[in-house]
């Protein structure tokens, strides 16, 4: 299972990821630290972008990360503001995913449910 935690900055994504790892030990990644290592060529433009633009720019890197994570571990937590609800359906076709979005102010519950579905968290 891959647990994806997205949302606005400073809303508790890292804390929630830590709680999941505490409940079930597994690898955990914070995407905030991966920007400079990513396939984004204009990092300065990326830093000034809004959450939705960042998520769309970072998506190719997220897909590559999931390929590697899926090879190495059965379960994993990945958190970061660049995870967007609109990508969950495509990712769910390849991986077993549970996702949630915390404080994502540029969307609404209807959008999250349309793109992410209903999930039962432990």
């Amino acid at each position: 299972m891959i647990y994806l935690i997205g949302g606005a900055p400073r809303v508790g994504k890292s804390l929630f990821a830590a709680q999941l790892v505490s409940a079930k030990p597994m690898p955990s990644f914070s995407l905030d630290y991966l920007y400079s290592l990513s396939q984004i060529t204009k990092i300065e433009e990326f830093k000034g972008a809004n959450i939705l633009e960042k998520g769309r720019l970072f998506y190719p890197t997220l897909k590559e990360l999931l390929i590697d994570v899926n090879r190495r571990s059965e379960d994993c937590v990945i958190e970061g503001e660049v995870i967007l609800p609109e990508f969950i359906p495509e990712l769910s076709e390849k991986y077993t995913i549970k996702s949630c979005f915390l404080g994502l102010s540029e969307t609404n519950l209807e959008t999250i449910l349309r793109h992410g579905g209903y999930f039962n968290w432990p």
Side-chain angles (χ1 to χ4, degrees):
M1 178 73 60
I2 298 174
Y3 299 89
L4 297 177
I5 305 168
R10 319 275 318 148
V11 295
K13 296 179 299 292
S14 297
L15 178 62
F16 185 42
Q19 290 172 341
L20 284 174
V21 170
S22 177
K24 181 178 182 180
M26 63 186 119
S28 176
F29 296 92
S30 175
L31 297 180
D32 299 341
Y33 300 109
L34 297 179
Y35 299 152
S36 62
L37 303 175
S38 72
Q39 301 167 9
I40 299 168
T41 56
K42 298 181 179 177
I43 194 71
E44 291 307 315
E45 288 181 25
F46 179 78
K47 288 180 182 177
N50 68 39
I51 291 173
L52 296 176
E53 292 167 336
K54 285 181 179 181
R56 291 176 183 134
L57 288 169
F58 196 77
Y59 186 57
T61 302
L62 177 60
K63 289 194 301 188
E64 292 297 318
L65 176 64
L66 289 177
I67 290 169
D68 188 58
V69 164
N70 195 51
R71 287 183 194 146
R72 296 173 185 262
S73 179
E74 186 174 316
D75 297 312
C76 181
V77 176
I78 301 173
E79 61 89 5
E81 67 183 45
V82 293
I83 299 171
L84 300 178
E86 66 191 68
F87 300 126
I88 300 305
E90 179 184 340
L91 296 174
S92 294
E93 291 176 8
K94 292 182 88 172
Y95 308 103
T96 304
I97 291 177
K98 286 193 178 189
S99 62
C100 74
F101 300 90
L102 307 176
L104 190 58
S105 60
E106 295 185 36
T107 191
N108 57 43
L109 182 58
E110 179 183 328
T111 301
I112 291 170
L113 294 176
R114 182 176 69 240
H115 291 298
Y118 292 87
F119 297 100
N120 296 317
W121 285 87

